[in-house]
Amino acid sequence: MGQAKQNNLGFTLIAALIILCLLSGVAAGILFLVTNESHMGGNDLENNLAFYGAESGMEKLTADLSALYGQSMSPTDAQIQNLINFPPTSAMVGSMNYTETISYPLDANGNPLSQWNTVSSGANQGLDAEIVPMTLQVIATRPSAASVNMTRNVEVALIPVFQFGVFCGYDCSYFPGPNFGFGGRVHTNGNLFLAAGSDLVFNDKIAAFQQIVMDQLENGFPTGAGYGGTVFVPKATSGCALVFPPPGSNCVALPGSNTVPGDASWSGGYPGIAGAANTLFPTISTGNLNGFLINSTTGATNMQLPFVANSCTSNPPPCNDPIALIRKPQPADNAALAASRLYGKAQIRILLADTVADLHPERGVGALDADDVQFVPGSSYPIPGAAGTKTTAGASISGNEYYGIAVTAPSQNNWVNPVGYPGWTSYPLLGELTTAGIPNNGQGAWMRVEYVDNAGLWHGITRDWLSWSFSRQYSLPPTGPGADPYNPYSIIILQQMNPSATSAIGVANENNFYPINFYDAREGEMRDASNGCAVNGIMNAVEINVGNLALWLAHKAPYTTASDAGNLVNYTNQNGYILYFSDHRGMLPDPNPSNGGQTAAGVISGESGLEDVVNSTQPLASTNPDGTLEAATYYTYSPEDVDQNGKLDNWGGQNIGYGFGVNTNTAPPNPYMTTNCATTGLSNAVSGARHVVKLVGGGMNAGVSYVPVRPDNGQGGFTVASENPVYVQGNYNSDASDPFWTGGSNTTPHSAASIIADTVTVLSNNWSDVNSLANPTKLSARPAATTYYRVAVAAGKNVPFPQPAWGGVGNDFGTDGGLHNFLRYLENWGGQQLFYNGSLVSMYYSEYNTGIFKCCTVVYSPPTRNYSFDTLFLNPANLPPGTPMFQDVVNLSYHQNFTPQ
């Protein structure tokens, strides 16, 4: 028994040991499994963290690249490569190491190589642009060695603005009464308001970065009353023909204004202020309309110029406005702004100012050379026989041509003493009243004309241009090269012979001249009512005979003398010529900073200082500004605050009336005080910021344009850039002989022309300066005639505002006039046709011509509009010189690399 018991005890021990071993194996297996799962989970977590880190790095690198191109149109290789030194910080993404690269082709100078190509993706797909293809790579590595490698292919596209039929930097609106179709792509960085009295037809893609509204105008007027027409948009390429109504299943009639929300993206009020978004719009946009009508929810982007880093589209004042594009340089300019200003890109500059210190301040306050010319009272300029000047009897004459002088004691020709100078007996018509301590009988203003050669050197040519005469016959500007009967070869025209003058040449004949004044009723009248000739509307023009300028640039007769350097002007940098114009005469120093602080206070900034224009607290018939900044309504700034500096800049009204003997320096300043336009307004000097440039003689003859082109191949173009308003009188770059207007070729010899200015006003072939002064508010007495224009236009508009409570105005009062009224009119166009072919770019708010839109009692009545987009601009070789470009960084592809590194 004892032996058996011991055997059992041994077996039990062995069994226990075996079980213990089995349990230990199971425990070890479980431990191994748990440990392995833990390791796998940890690895997965680390990989996920690395993946998200790589995504963060890629998004930051892409955003930094976009921001860099937002600051500079052409950053250097070093600037781009510097971006890889700024991956996400540890505060953004913890415990992550980054290796980043940006690769792209380089040009001969070692900078990114751009080539013209078609944008391949995004909202601007299909447009031609200067494209730089880039590959971005980000490797994110954790301390555990978990690593993820990401690659993104992008293209940096610089998109020419004139490839759009219509572009708006702020809100954009259409509400034509008659049928209207223009063509080309439409883009706005703001809201798009669509209404029509008849048929409104688009034939290409439409993009609004903000909202699309169809139940009200910009001013809040409901479109259900008076706007019962139909808006047609395409849903495929070439879906809508520009006929009325357009046929075809790919041309969609949007639901009318009484169908709310219809196909609009917003209804019930001004977006962001009242109303609501249409939740069905994304489906309508991408589905029913196939992406041909989009807003930001379906792909529209905010397109800005490179220097507009703090855009007023999305930022409160002080903010940046693209109008800096046309301004003269300022000491505080950053590199992007300096490179974008058309002043710096120009081949020819015409500069006028009250003082030499303001003529070209970036190059010093003194005269550069003898081509900084002052219009000294009693002085003249010698005009040789080659200038072809004649007397009114037809006899050739040469000799001295004087700068005009007004005689006030004894009074002649309705000349009056300027306010503040009652003791003067005379004063210069090309003089100034803004400088303290002006000597007795006044002093002359200054002018410089200069050109840049192929080596980049600037040369003064003021004296050469003056030697071809600087006057014209009374009332009638030239209609082409050599067209003035008495001063046929003038290029720049500063004054006109008065009705009794027999010649612009003569001994001591300085009293034979008048300034070139005319009346702009939109600027002059506070409301669309006949309140008399306001001094604010009397504009003084410097005229450029575009046809004569073209001959001078080509070094063709008669401009072949030793001093004529037209053939030395550079035309290769911009594929043609940019003429920059600035006239600071009458401007007062701006007491407030503007343009986001880029323009300092206390300088002559290029603004007129005439913002007190809405005056909703004043009754309809009032001609007295209220001196109070209108409250902000739709935007973060007042509708009177066109420079978005948060101030009412009405200081420019102080001296507006001085030249006419009218003291406008009241409290508040009142530029709407009146005078007699036909007498005082005709013959006296404009004293305030009411100076403009007028383009004349720029039409066409037998299908050949007068506007400049490159002399070597007859191609290229001509751009006029001006910080002052531009007025185009008569046919420009076309006429009735152009076969384009009758369905023929659009390639008849003409210039790739553009005008980039504060505002652009078209004056018909029937316009008369003298008649405008004789009939400042009598619209019926200012009849227009059919006129032709082929030119792209980039200019400003007024800020929209709600209809005032006092009523009695048109449905459209408070709007900016819409794109159909973007080109400004001053005549009775009823029954006459306006033929226009180009591109319409509403890029900024006008800060010189600040008069609000008004129609149709005293300012204008609309023409029969034959408007069309110039499809030649879709070819980069046909773009006007200096065409502004927007930058866009487009994502093409994005993937993770699994290839071992």
Side-chain angles (χ1 to χ4, degrees):
M1 291 290 294
Q3 184 65 38
K5 186 175 181 178
Q6 289 179 351
N7 289 340
N8 287 337
L9 289 173
F11 176 79
T12 300
L13 177 61
I14 293 172
L17 290 173
I18 292 173
I19 292 172
L20 181 61
C21 289
L22 289 176
L23 290 175
S24 297
V26 171
I30 291 173
L31 179 63
F32 176 80
L33 182 63
V34 170
T35 303
N36 189 54
E37 289 294 330
S38 177
H39 285 159
M40 290 178 65
N43 289 339
D44 190 50
L45 175 62
E46 288 294 302
N47 286 333
N48 284 339
L49 290 172
F51 181 86
Y52 293 130
E55 278 195 325
S56 298
M58 181 63 74
E59 293 307 318
K60 185 177 187 301
L61 185 60
T62 305
D64 290 348
L65 180 66
S66 181
L68 176 62
Y69 271 90
Q71 297 165 5
S72 174
M73 184 176 292
S74 302
T76 64
D77 177 61
Q79 288 175 309
I80 296 173
Q81 292 303 325
N82 187 49
L83 299 178
I84 67 176
N85 297 318
F86 299 94
T89 65
S90 58
M92 300 175 186
V93 180
S95 302
M96 197 75 65
N97 294 317
Y98 285 96
T99 303
E100 299 181 348
T101 61
I102 308 175
S103 57
Y104 40 81
L106 299 176
D107 62 16
N109 297 318
N111 291 317
L113 176 65
S114 65
Q115 294 181 323
W116 284 100
N117 211 328
T118 302
V119 179
S120 57
S121 182
N124 299 305
Q125 182 177 0
L127 290 176
D128 279 351
E130 280 194 59
I131 290 177
V132 180
M134 293 189 175
T135 299
L136 282 57
Q137 186 180 52
V138 173
I139 302 174
T141 305
R142 294 276 296 164
S144 65
S147 181
V148 170
N149 184 337
M150 291 284 191
T151 296
R152 171 175 281 170
N153 293 312
V154 303
E155 56 185 20
V156 179
L158 298 176
I159 303 169
V161 69
F162 293 140
Q163 288 203 351
F164 292 91
V166 168
F167 181 94
C168 298
Y170 296 97
D171 284 354
C172 200
S173 69
Y174 294 79
F175 49 88
N179 293 332
F180 184 76
F182 185 64
R185 294 196 185 202
V186 173
H187 178 95
T188 173
N189 288 335
N191 300 298
L192 178 62
F193 293 82
L194 298 177
S198 296
D199 290 340
L200 172 61
V201 182
F202 298 89
N203 74 345
D204 210 330
K205 293 182 177 180
I206 306 165
F209 180 63
Q210 296 184 10
Q211 300 293 347
I212 299 158
V213 182
M214 297 187 67
D215 62 336
Q216 69 168 56
L217 303 183
E218 288 173 310
N219 62 354
F221 184 85
T223 56
Y227 296 95
T230 304
V231 178
F232 293 89
V233 300
K235 65 175 183 179
T237 302
S238 303
C240 290
L242 293 177
V243 296
F244 311 101
S249 59
N250 286 325
C251 190
V252 179
L254 300 183
S257 56
N258 291 317
T259 305
V260 178
D263 287 351
S265 68
W266 189 279
S267 60
Y270 187 89
I273 305 295
N278 180 0
T279 58
L280 298 178
F281 180 77
T283 301
I284 296 169
S285 173
T286 59
N288 302 6
L289 299 177
N290 199 27
F292 273 72
L293 179 67
I294 63 174
N295 69 1
S296 60
T297 65
T298 53
T301 58
N302 187 355
M303 301 181 67
Q304 297 289 347
L305 295 172
F307 63 86
V308 186
N310 182 36
S311 167
C312 293
T313 304
S314 51
N315 295 284
C319 46
N320 296 140
D321 193 336
I323 200 170
L325 184 78
I326 59 173
R327 292 280 189 253
K328 288 169 69 174
Q330 294 290 337
D333 284 358
N334 58 43
L337 179 55
S340 296
R341 290 196 195 271
L342 290 166
Y343 178 94
K345 296 182 178 182
Q347 284 68 50
I348 303 171
R349 295 176 184 149
I350 301 173
L351 310 173
L352 294 100
D354 286 340
T355 66
V356 69
D358 187 40
L359 199 60
H360 37 64
E362 82 286 359
R363 289 175 285 176
V365 297
L368 297 178
D369 52 41
D371 282 297
D372 280 1
V373 172
Q374 186 177 23
F375 306 127
V376 177
S379 64
S380 61
Y381 204 84
I383 308 299
T389 49
K390 291 181 170 60
T391 67
T392 54
S396 296
I397 186 172
S398 60
N400 290 329
E401 182 172 336
Y402 283 81
Y403 307 126
I405 295 288
V407 177
T408 59
S411 180
Q412 301 177 26
N413 297 323
N414 300 301
W415 285 320
V416 298
N417 276 7
V419 170
Y421 302 97
W424 285 3
T425 59
S426 66
Y427 69 91
L429 293 173
L430 298 177
E432 57 96 1
L433 297 175
T434 61
T435 304
I438 296 177
N440 187 46
N441 293 332
Q443 65 185 15
W446 291 76
M447 182 174 77
R448 180 176 182 83
V449 183
E450 58 186 359
Y451 76 90
V452 68
D453 64 18
N454 291 329
L457 302 176
W458 285 92
H459 307 269
I461 49 170
T462 316
R463 292 170 295 167
D464 176 44
W465 279 24
L466 290 176
S467 73
W468 291 103
S469 178
F470 47 91
S471 305
R472 65 158 165 87
Q473 64 178 321
Y474 176 69
S475 185
L476 299 174
T479 56
D484 188 286
Y486 314 129
N487 311 279
Y489 304 131
S490 301
I491 300 173
I492 189 167
I493 305 170
L494 305 173
Q495 57 192 18
Q496 61 181 330
M497 298 160 55
N498 68 34
S500 62
T502 58
S503 173
I505 311 297
V507 178
N509 73 340
E510 61 263 31
N511 310 135
N512 285 352
F513 301 99
Y514 284 167
I516 302 174
N517 293 348
F518 65 91
Y519 194 74
D520 184 327
R522 174 167 175 168
E523 292 300 301
E525 305 306 308
M526 195 165 88
R527 313 282 194 228
D528 193 26
S530 300
N531 294 317
C533 169
V535 293
N536 200 45
I538 303 174
M539 319 301 284
N540 173 252
V542 170
E543 293 181 344
I544 307 296
N545 187 326
V546 177
N548 282 348
L549 174 59
L551 294 177
W552 183 84
L553 287 166
H555 208 62
K556 291 182 178 179
Y559 307 104
T560 56
T561 68
S563 61
D564 291 311
N567 58 320
L568 302 180
V569 180
N570 175 273
Y571 55 79
T572 57
N573 289 354
Q574 299 290 340
N575 192 31
Y577 306 97
I578 300 174
L579 184 151
Y580 180 84
F581 181 88
S582 169
D583 191 341
H584 278 195
R585 289 179 296 167
M587 285 187 187
L588 300 175
D590 186 343
N592 303 309
S594 60
N595 193 31
Q598 290 179 338
T599 302
V603 302
I604 295 177
S605 63
E607 296 183 34
S608 64
L610 297 169
E611 290 186 346
D612 202 359
V613 293
V614 176
N615 300 300
S616 62
T617 62
Q618 300 291 78
L620 174 62
S622 175
T623 58
N624 298 309
D626 57 20
T628 302
L629 186 67
E630 293 283 314
T633 52
Y634 299 145
Y635 313 108
T636 56
Y637 45 87
S638 163
E640 290 182 320
D641 189 15
V642 292
D643 65 355
Q644 300 114 12
N645 67 352
K647 309 288 186 180
L648 178 64
D649 292 302
N650 62 351
W651 39 265
Q654 297 172 12
N655 67 337
I656 289 289
Y658 284 6
F660 308 111
V662 178
N663 186 3
T664 51
N665 192 13
T666 54
N670 186 359
Y672 299 109
M673 298 175 73
T674 60
T675 188
N676 188 319
C677 261
T679 55
T680 308
L682 171 66
S683 61
N684 287 275
V686 167
S687 55
R690 300 282 77 185
H691 292 274
V692 305
V693 60
K694 193 200 292 182
L695 305 180
V696 300
M700 177 177 280
N701 181 44
V704 179
S705 171
Y706 293 143
V707 179
V709 292
R710 291 175 55 143
D712 59 336
N713 59 15
Q715 299 176 10
F718 178 66
T719 289
V720 174
S722 172
E723 64 177 344
N724 299 74
V726 172
Y727 294 74
V728 186
Q729 183 165 351
N731 298 325
Y732 193 79
N733 205 29
S734 189
D735 73 354
S737 69
D738 191 335
F740 171 74
W741 307 114
T742 54
S745 171
N746 66 347
T747 58
T748 188
H750 70 287
S751 179
S754 73
I755 300 171
I756 307 174
D758 180 79
T759 57
V760 175
T761 303
V762 289
L763 307 173
S764 81
N765 289 320
N766 203 45
W767 172 265
S768 163
D769 293 343
V770 173
N771 183 56
S772 73
L773 291 164
N775 298 283
T777 59
K778 188 177 181 181
L779 179 58
S780 62
R782 304 195 307 271
T786 294
T787 311
Y788 302 80
Y789 308 88
R790 292 189 72 172
V791 56
V793 171
K797 65 167 189 171
N798 65 269
V799 185
F801 55 92
Q803 279 196 313
W806 29 262
V809 294
N811 297 341
D812 52 12
F813 186 79
T815 72
D816 57 21
L819 260 294
H820 48 295
N821 290 311
F822 179 62
L823 298 177
R824 300 187 176 200
Y825 320 120
L826 295 175
E827 297 165 271
N828 177 10
W829 283 86
Q832 301 298 316
Q833 298 189 77
L834 195 159
F835 290 88
Y836 173 79
N837 181 238
S839 170
L840 298 175
V841 177
S842 175
M843 194 178 293
Y844 35 75
Y845 297 130
S846 51
E847 298 179 6
Y848 195 100
N849 268 10
T850 55
I852 59 176
F853 170 75
K854 47 187 91 78
C855 174
C856 302
T857 303
V858 301
V859 179
Y860 80 96
S861 63
T864 299
R865 301 181 183 92
N866 291 284
Y867 281 24
S868 58
F869 170 57
D870 191 344
T871 56
L872 291 175
F873 293 157
L874 295 175
N875 181 344
N878 297 327
L879 287 167
T883 296
M885 293 189 181
F886 301 106
Q887 65 85 16
D888 193 17
V889 178
V890 181
N891 294 326
L892 301 181
S893 63
Y894 184 51
H895 63 270
Q896 181 177 354
N897 302 312
F898 293 99
T899 305
Q901 300 297 309

